[in-house]
């Protein structure tokens, strides 16, 4: 997971809305609002987690990724 300063308009992978925030989350080339970055299984908010996992265009917390 890379937190980058926004330099161009990007669209959030989760909600489809433009990201106007100063920072965005970039995971495998996909952009996310911090509030949209949630585990696709348990819906835990991942913006403050030390890591997240990505597989088949889905984001996971550590617990659900290793299941």
């Amino acid at each position: 997971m890379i937190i980058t300063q926004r330099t161009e308009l990007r669209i959030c992978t989760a909600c489809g809305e433009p990201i106007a925030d100063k920072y965005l989350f970039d995971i495998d080339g996909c952009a996310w609002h911090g509030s949209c970055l949630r585990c696709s299984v348990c819906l835990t908010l991942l913006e403050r987690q030390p890591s997240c996992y990505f597989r088949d265009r889905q984001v996971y917390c550590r617990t659900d990724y290793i299941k």
Side-chain angles (χ1 to χ4, degrees):
M1 170 172 47
I2 301 170
I3 303 170
T4 61
Q5 189 166 2
R6 186 179 63 83
T7 57
E8 62 185 57
L9 184 62
R10 304 267 310 264
I11 303 298
C12 178
T13 300
C15 72
E17 296 292 321
I19 301 173
D21 305 342
K22 183 175 180 179
Y23 296 96
L24 60 86
F25 291 84
D26 187 310
I27 303 167
D28 200 37
C30 297
W32 305 77
H33 292 108
S35 59
C36 291
L37 187 59
R38 294 181 175 273
C39 174
S40 60
V41 176
C42 69
L43 303 179
T44 296
L45 188 61
L46 300 172
E47 104 180 287
R48 300 223 184 262
Q49 297 297 314
S51 63
C52 65
Y53 301 84
F54 192 72
R55 179 177 53 216
D56 300 327
R57 298 191 57 84
Q58 298 291 316
V59 178
Y60 299 92
C61 66
R62 183 178 190 276
T63 302
D64 288 319
Y65 184 78
I66 60 176
K67 284 184 182 179

